[in-house]
Amino acid sequence: MSCLCGPSKSKQNDTGVSPNATNKGGSKNVTFLKDEDDQTATEFIPPAVPRDLFAGGGGNFNGGEEVLDIRESLVEGGREVENRDSQVFFDARESTADFKSVTSSALFHDARSVTSSAVFHDTQSAQGDEERKEVSFPESTESNQGTKLSADALSKHDREDPPQNPNSGTAVRGMPTRAQSYRQGRRHSLDAPGSLLKKRQSIRQKSVRMIRNSINIVTHLRKPRVKIEENGYPGNLTQKQLDACVEFRAALRERASNPSYKDGDVYSDMVFAFSEVEEEAYSICRFLRARDFDVKKTFEMLDGTLEIWKEASKHNFYPDLENEMGCPTSVFLTQYPNVYQGNSTLGFPMNYFHAGKFSADGVNTLTTMDALEKYIWKTLKYDLPEIFKNATEMNPDFVRCEIITVANLEGLTRAQLGSESIDILKKASSVGDCFPEILHKAVVINAPSFFAMSWRLIRNFLDPGTAKKIEIISNKKKGQKRLAEIIDENLLPSDFDGKGPSIEDNLRQNSAKNGDKPPSRRIVELMRLKKGGGVTSLEFNVKSHENVRIRVYTKTALGAHFSIYKCTGDPKSHAKTPVLENMNVKRPDGDASTQFSACLIDDLKGAGEYVLEGMSEKKTKAEESFLVVGEVYSGGVAWKEDV
């Protein structure tokens, strides 16, 4: 980019301001520019650098009327460019159409956060001992191209002509000559030209970079790489929404850079959580859409989630989830069946939740409610960015970090919607509030008639904007038709009436570790043992080519006894041969706050019908829960020994 140079040959300068326009007070006024689209005149106030950003500069920033007019030269791309204009803007001629209607105060808010502490020092000693005719610096104002200063270029600054007013031709009052403007800042000589530019650019470049960034973000908001034909997205913003985006971004940068703001950098971390896959303009719009582009309400929303974000960030958002939960993730998901699988016809990642197979008792048997919250953090902070990245690789024009969720309520009972289930949904919602507007749409299928009453309760703790995106369909055929509009039936899971792999197949394939072969199927049952020595049984079958490994999970401190029998002879005779008898499964420490697991049998072979029986201790006074997970492998054992 080139600097904004002196007045052009026309009667307007390069910012579009007519040199002859004056207001009643005699000061320079603004003119009106015609939009290329509608040819209507719109007021354009050229953004101005407030005088109080620099030492000795008086006056207030007021509608672009007072402008810092320091005559100096910049060096870009190996050539000297004179900055005779009264602004520190670059490429105004190219960018005017993109930012002319954005308030100058909003644009310069970014620059103020960097340059508020910058002053021109009165003295600077000459540096360097050896003479040089040409000096090259690795940094330039535009790129990494070296910047060269020659003796001839520096000699231009010896001219003593005073700065002229482009309108009247008279000297500007109070402004130094070109040479004085350099000498009053710091002394320079041909012996050490680096003493001039390195420090001047370190001050100027920070503010210029911030201003350029502001112009760039406006450009990206107005003309994004991929335009979405929906209101509230980059490329489809009203002027009010565009102003809100610039204001919100400036406020984020101010909080991050100003030490007076406690946890100021946390706000930016939250907004740009998907920075590796989500462009800045889309992140800003996503948060503002959640509060109808009201900047104040958006920060109030951020304030409401600040503490839980800080707490999760202390633990780096739980990357080692299994250590936090105390059980394998694949086992946990048998009780909380939630998976990401495939993409919609529009490219959105698909999330499936089989609510009919969700068990709050099973979750509590495996882990704690706090651990469930950690699972959601890990999913949103680590897994989801990877899912979005995969969606982008499949379709480079995919720029919306949004998902489609399908919830299947088939098999749901009233008991499953108890207080524990509501608590789990509340925790999921509270974490989800830190990632607003990532839900493109949610479709609830096979909803039973009693769900209408539960929905009234559930929607109370959902964000109103989120609740509006949820479709509830009771009729099975209508649900199938709706899903066919969203995703190809070959990708839709079979337990959601599609032809793709089921949720259980997905979980099973992802359960293998360290190169182990995944099980061909799994036997999963939550056994509730009756109090006072009650017996509960589980029947299962094994084929001739299969081996079975059975593990039991519980949090009970009292324990239970387990036996496995193989049925022999006529099933009606109930004849059975013991394979495992009266194995006591009990926590060694007696602590019921964390999960404990034990392997009942490592390699069960032999085709036939089997029965697993569990009997509680006689002294138990309440029902105890044990989750039994049997991994069935075809063609021999395919796991490694437990550590």
Side-chain angles (χ1 to χ4, degrees):
M1 291 186 178
S2 60
C3 291
L4 188 64
C5 299
S8 61
K9 294 182 180 180
S10 66
K11 293 185 179 181
Q12 283 189 345
N13 64 20
D14 291 321
T15 62
V17 180
S18 172
N20 298 320
T22 58
N23 58 20
K24 293 181 180 180
S27 60
K28 293 295 174 187
N29 203 347
V30 300
T31 63
F32 292 84
L33 293 176
K34 289 186 177 181
D35 290 335
E36 295 180 359
D37 297 332
D38 55 12
Q39 298 299 318
T40 58
T42 57
E43 182 179 5
F44 170 50
I45 301 174
V49 177
R51 290 180 182 272
D52 58 2
L53 293 185
F54 301 93
N60 297 319
F61 178 54
N62 183 14
E65 294 178 1
E66 291 199 12
V67 177
L68 183 68
D69 190 7
I70 294 182
R71 306 290 178 141
E72 55 194 4
S73 297
L74 299 178
V75 177
E76 292 189 12
R79 63 188 181 89
E80 183 184 39
V81 182
E82 293 185 359
N83 178 19
R84 299 186 184 183
D85 212 347
S86 58
Q87 318 242 355
V88 196
F89 262 79
F90 291 80
D91 278 341
R93 287 167 292 190
E94 299 175 4
S95 305
T96 294
D98 291 329
F99 72 89
K100 64 185 177 185
S101 54
V102 181
T103 58
S104 56
S105 58
L107 285 172
F108 270 94
H109 192 91
D110 281 353
R112 179 181 293 275
S113 65
V114 172
T115 59
S116 58
S117 61
V119 296
F120 289 144
H121 301 283
D122 292 333
T123 60
Q124 175 68 35
S125 60
Q127 300 178 8
D129 296 321
E130 66 179 33
E131 294 188 1
R132 299 181 184 177
K133 292 296 182 181
E134 189 175 84
V135 182
S136 178
F137 297 97
E139 295 182 359
S140 74
T141 57
E142 180 64 26
S143 65
N144 291 329
Q145 179 182 358
T147 300
K148 297 181 179 180
L149 290 179
S150 66
D152 292 338
L154 288 174
S155 66
K156 293 181 180 180
H157 299 300
D158 293 334
R159 294 176 293 178
E160 296 293 336
D161 55 310
Q164 300 292 314
N165 187 310
N167 300 323
S168 62
T170 60
V172 179
R173 185 177 61 182
M175 294 303 300
T177 64
R178 182 178 292 113
Q180 288 172 340
S181 67
Y182 273 85
R183 290 167 181 167
Q184 71 179 2
R186 54 182 64 90
R187 301 181 63 87
H188 65 277
S189 68
L190 294 179
D191 294 335
S195 64
L196 168 66
L197 278 189
K198 278 194 173 181
K199 290 205 171 184
R200 291 186 67 85
Q201 293 224 355
S202 65
I203 296 172
R204 284 181 55 83
Q205 238 180 326
K206 289 181 180 179
S207 59
V208 168
R209 187 180 298 113
M210 298 296 287
I211 296 170
R212 282 179 172 176
N213 287 341
S214 292
I215 298 175
N216 288 337
I217 192 61
V218 173
T219 302
H220 294 158
L221 288 165
R222 282 186 178 274
K223 299 178 181 179
R225 179 177 62 84
V226 179
K227 183 177 180 180
I228 297 173
E229 297 298 335
E230 291 183 34
N231 183 41
Y233 289 84
N236 205 347
L237 299 171
T238 65
Q239 185 58 50
K240 181 179 179 181
Q241 292 171 339
L242 183 62
D243 289 343
C245 289
V246 175
E247 179 185 350
F248 181 57
R249 181 179 183 272
L252 286 174
R253 298 173 76 90
E254 171 67 14
R255 290 178 182 233
S257 61
N258 193 334
S260 64
Y261 283 99
K262 183 181 179 182
D263 304 318
D265 57 333
V266 179
Y267 293 91
S268 294
D269 292 342
M270 296 169 68
V271 173
F272 304 116
F274 300 147
S275 60
E276 293 184 2
V277 292
E278 185 178 42
E279 297 174 20
E280 182 182 19
Y282 287 90
S283 298
I284 292 172
C285 288
R286 180 165 58 84
F287 272 77
L288 287 172
R289 280 199 311 275
R291 291 299 179 265
D292 198 24
F293 285 83
D294 187 313
V295 176
K296 180 179 179 182
K297 290 182 179 179
T298 302
F299 274 109
E300 289 175 353
M301 175 184 70
L302 288 167
D303 290 336
T305 58
L306 182 65
E307 291 304 319
I308 63 171
W309 179 280
K310 287 168 56 181
E311 180 61 29
S313 66
K314 292 179 182 178
H315 305 278
N316 198 22
F317 303 99
Y318 313 104
D320 187 3
L321 182 61
E322 294 192 354
N323 183 56
E324 296 288 346
M325 291 198 303
C327 68
T329 305
S330 61
V331 174
F332 166 77
L333 291 176
T334 63
Q335 306 304 299
Y336 188 81
N338 181 75
V339 300
Y340 288 86
Q341 181 173 315
N343 298 78
S344 72
T345 54
L346 295 178
F348 295 104
M350 297 293 298
N351 170 239
Y352 298 96
F353 178 56
H354 204 316
K357 295 183 178 180
F358 161 66
S359 172
D361 288 343
V363 170
N364 281 322
T365 299
L366 289 169
T367 185
T368 64
M369 297 295 289
D370 289 339
L372 173 62
E373 186 175 337
K374 296 170 183 177
Y375 159 76
I376 299 172
W377 275 116
K378 194 262 184 181
T379 299
L380 294 178
K381 196 67 173 64
Y382 291 101
D383 298 344
L384 202 53
E386 286 298 317
I387 292 170
F388 287 140
K389 183 179 179 181
N390 292 336
T392 303
E393 291 175 352
M394 294 175 60
N395 178 12
D397 289 340
F398 178 79
V399 292
R400 301 170 66 167
C401 287
E402 301 173 23
I403 63 172
I404 295 178
T405 293
V406 181
N408 188 356
L409 305 192
E410 185 176 13
L412 186 71
T413 64
R414 293 179 185 271
Q416 288 176 282
L417 291 175
S419 59
E420 288 183 332
S421 300
I422 298 299
D423 288 343
I424 289 175
L425 292 175
K426 284 182 178 179
K427 284 187 176 291
S429 178
S430 64
V431 177
D433 288 343
C434 297
F435 303 84
E437 293 295 308
I438 63 171
L439 179 67
H440 178 69
K441 134 184 2 276
V443 180
V444 179
I445 61 173
N446 301 321
S449 57
F450 65 82
F451 182 73
M453 183 177 296
S454 301
W455 172 243
R456 296 190 189 99
L457 176 62
I458 293 172
R459 71 181 303 164
N460 287 335
F461 56 83
L462 293 178
D463 182 87
T466 300
K468 292 179 181 178
K469 299 179 181 180
I470 300 176
E471 305 174 29
I472 300 178
I473 304 173
S474 298
N475 185 277
K476 189 177 184 69
K477 290 186 177 180
K478 289 183 178 179
Q480 292 175 343
K481 182 179 179 181
R482 183 70 181 100
L483 293 183
E485 298 171 355
I486 297 174
I487 187 171
D488 189 315
E489 66 174 352
N490 293 317
L491 300 177
L492 186 67
S494 58
D495 42 357
F496 283 70
D497 302 315
K499 297 181 179 180
S502 67
I503 288 181
E504 169 57 25
D505 290 338
N506 185 302
L507 297 177
R508 179 175 50 79
Q509 290 294 329
N510 293 324
S511 65
K513 296 181 179 180
N514 303 322
D516 292 351
K517 185 175 73 173
S520 57
R521 62 186 179 95
R522 291 194 298 185
I523 303 166
V524 181
E525 181 74 17
L526 182 64
M527 299 182 68
R528 295 179 174 88
L529 304 188
K530 300 175 182 179
K531 62 181 180 179
V535 177
T536 302
S537 61
L538 166 66
E539 297 181 359
F540 62 95
N541 67 81
V542 178
K543 298 178 181 179
S544 59
H545 61 280
E546 292 180 332
N547 304 74
V548 184
R549 185 187 199 189
I550 301 176
R551 181 173 287 272
V552 62
Y553 299 82
T554 187
K555 286 202 301 184
T556 180
L558 296 176
H561 297 271
F562 288 89
S563 301
I564 298 176
Y565 302 96
K566 182 178 182 180
C567 299
T568 57
D570 186 356
K572 295 182 179 180
S573 65
H574 301 289
K576 51 189 180 183
T577 302
V579 177
L580 174 72
E581 278 193 295
N582 205 28
M583 178 177 176
N584 187 15
V585 176
K586 184 178 181 180
R587 299 186 60 91
D589 53 8
D591 181 11
S593 62
T594 58
Q595 174 268 132
F596 165 75
S597 68
C599 182
L600 297 184
I601 191 166
D602 196 56
D603 188 13
L604 176 63
K605 300 178 181 178
E609 298 291 329
Y610 291 83
V611 177
L612 186 152
E613 293 182 352
M615 182 177 67
S616 63
E617 295 285 351
K618 292 184 178 181
K619 56 184 177 181
T620 56
K621 298 181 180 180
E623 187 178 79
E624 302 285 0
S625 296
F626 293 80
L627 180 66
V628 177
V629 178
E631 295 178 325
V632 182
Y633 295 85
S634 298
V637 178
W639 57 80
K640 295 180 174 62
E641 293 292 332
D642 285 339
V643 178

